[in-house]
Amino acid sequence: MAAKAPIKVCITGGGGQIAYSLLLEIATGKVFGPDQPVTLHLLDIEPALEKCNGVIMELEDLALSLVRGVIATADPNVGFADVDVALLLGAFPRLKGMERKDLLAKNNAIFQAHGKAIDTVAKKTVKVVVVGNPCNTNALTCMKNAPSIPKENFTCLTRLDQNRAKAQLAAKLGVSVSQISNVIIWGNHSGTQFPDARHATVEIDGVKQPLTTVLSDDAWIKSEFISTVQQRGAAVIKARGLSSAMSAAKAIGDHTRDWWFGTAPGEFTSMGVICDGSYNIPAGVIYSFPVTIDSAGKWTIVQGLAQDDFATEKMEATYKELSEEATAAAELAAAQ
């Protein structure tokens, strides 16, 4: 069989701590497969390029056959040139005393520029994963500034929240996380997100069962479980003084691998995607839904999942926040 041609992958924030962990996942074939060579584009701001050069030296020293080339650049038109996948990790962080509107303003400019560059120089089939926060709205801004790229090619990361939710459920039941499937994250990657265990399954003695028939603690599922997942990022920062990096990198790899290869039969995953009106969520925002993905990389929102009043209230609350963010981002763009 002929060797595969390398794919080009751009990682923004290439000198940062999440990229540092993610690059090893990619370079060792855990994301795109053990036989898929890659060329890596590390895109970052000028002051971070020296760090990127150090990362390049480490990638060279790994002596991995899948890595066919690495560049570091501060020019988006170079970083996104002809890429197959763009992983947008970099974003302006929320500083002490900064209002949310100020954070949106800073990132609106960054992701407008990213979108325009992607529209101009990336492949029209590029898959874009936005991680930098507020990732849902940053993804929407990026998408709006890349009109020649299909809207379905822009997603944002809620897989970290899903992984956190699976871990909490597995610990509660005393099982492996590999036994838990179909946990859902609805809405925004923020404190309003709705981690939903009602449609999850757990495999016991080789048989998949509805998780809620095994875990009958409805009060815990509706309170402590949700709040723990919603606040996990803040808990990590409080404990280690830094935001999640290792777990974030793993989640980005999981998200991208599923998008590249497809989801397993009978299973779905959570991704922030452009809303089409499913589940009575108004269209036009990037909202996290359960999706299935085929082997060609086409995602489809899972339909027909029953919703009770509790779920509807949570889903509408997180939409409200996303709608407000989208309106603020649009006003910022119009004012420029």
Side-chain angles (χ1 to χ4, degrees), residues 159-325:
R159 184 61 170 265
L160 177 55
D161 307 303
Q162 178 184 306
N163 287 353
R164 288 166 170 166
K166 283 180 66 174
Q168 292 300 313
L169 292 167
K172 182 74 171 178
L173 289 169
V175 301
S176 167
V177 290
S178 64
Q179 294 171 250
I180 307 288
S181 301
N182 295 352
V183 182
I184 301 169
I185 303 297
W186 301 95
N188 201 3
H189 173 65
S190 73
T192 68
Q193 66 176 265
F194 174 36
D196 184 1
R198 296 167 309 125
H199 305 286
T201 63
V202 57
E203 186 175 323
I204 304 292
D205 296 327
V207 179
K208 285 190 175 183
Q209 305 176 42
L211 184 140
T212 52
T213 65
V214 179
L215 177 58
S216 57
D217 192 344
D218 192 55
W220 180 84
I221 289 175
K222 287 184 174 180
S223 56
E224 185 179 341
F225 164 67
I226 292 175
S227 62
T228 297
V229 177
Q230 288 175 331
Q231 299 165 17
R232 189 67 163 187
V236 170
I237 292 173
K238 183 178 179 181
R240 70 185 293 260
L242 295 167
S243 59
S244 302
M246 183 168 50
S247 58
K250 165 67 164 49
I252 297 163
D254 291 344
H255 174 118
T256 307
R257 183 176 55 253
D258 279 352
W259 199 4
W260 196 257
F261 291 105
T263 47
E267 295 189 9
F268 44 79
T269 189
S270 297
M271 292 170 59
V273 299
I274 187 66
C275 182
D276 62 358
S278 293
Y279 295 96
N280 295 316
I281 301 300
V285 297
I286 301 286
Y287 190 99
S288 181
F289 286 100
V291 301
T292 57
I293 308 169
D294 67 20
S295 59
K298 180 183 178 182
W299 55 261
T300 302
I301 296 173
V302 176
Q303 300 294 332
L305 298 175
Q307 306 298 329
D308 56 18
D309 291 343
F310 178 83
T312 298
E313 180 182 345
K314 294 290 186 184
M315 292 166 67
E316 289 177 350
T318 193
Y319 166 75
K320 181 175 183 293
E321 182 182 52
L322 277 172
S323 179
E324 291 169 354
E325 286 185 12

Side-chain angles (χ1 to χ4, degrees), residues 20 23-24 27 38 40 42 51-72:
Y20 191 78
L23 283 163
L24 186 62
V38 294
L40 301 169
L42 308 184
K51 284 187 177 180
C52 289
N53 288 331
V55 172
I56 290 174
M57 285 188 272
E58 287 213 60
L59 285 165
E60 291 171 347
D61 295 346
L62 287 170
L64 294 169
S65 61
L66 291 180
V67 180
R68 299 298 172 84
V70 191
I71 64 168

Side-chain angles (χ1 to χ4, degrees), residues 56-123:
I56 290 174
M57 285 188 272
E58 287 213 60
L59 285 165
E60 291 171 347
D61 295 346
L62 287 170
L64 294 169
S65 61
L66 291 180
V67 180
R68 299 298 172 84
V70 191
I71 64 168
T73 181
D75 184 350
N77 288 313
V78 175
F80 293 124
D82 202 35
V83 296
D84 300 275
V85 178
L87 306 175
L88 309 189
L89 280 54
F92 195 90
R94 188 168 189 171
L95 304 176
K96 186 176 181 180
M98 180 180 280
E99 296 292 334
R100 190 169 185 84
K101 62 180 174 59
D102 299 323
L103 180 68
L104 281 169
K106 289 284 189 182
N107 282 297
N108 195 65
I110 292 170
F111 285 88
Q112 278 187 337
H114 283 350
K116 290 173 182 176
I118 289 169
D119 193 57
T120 302
V121 301
K123 288 183 178 176

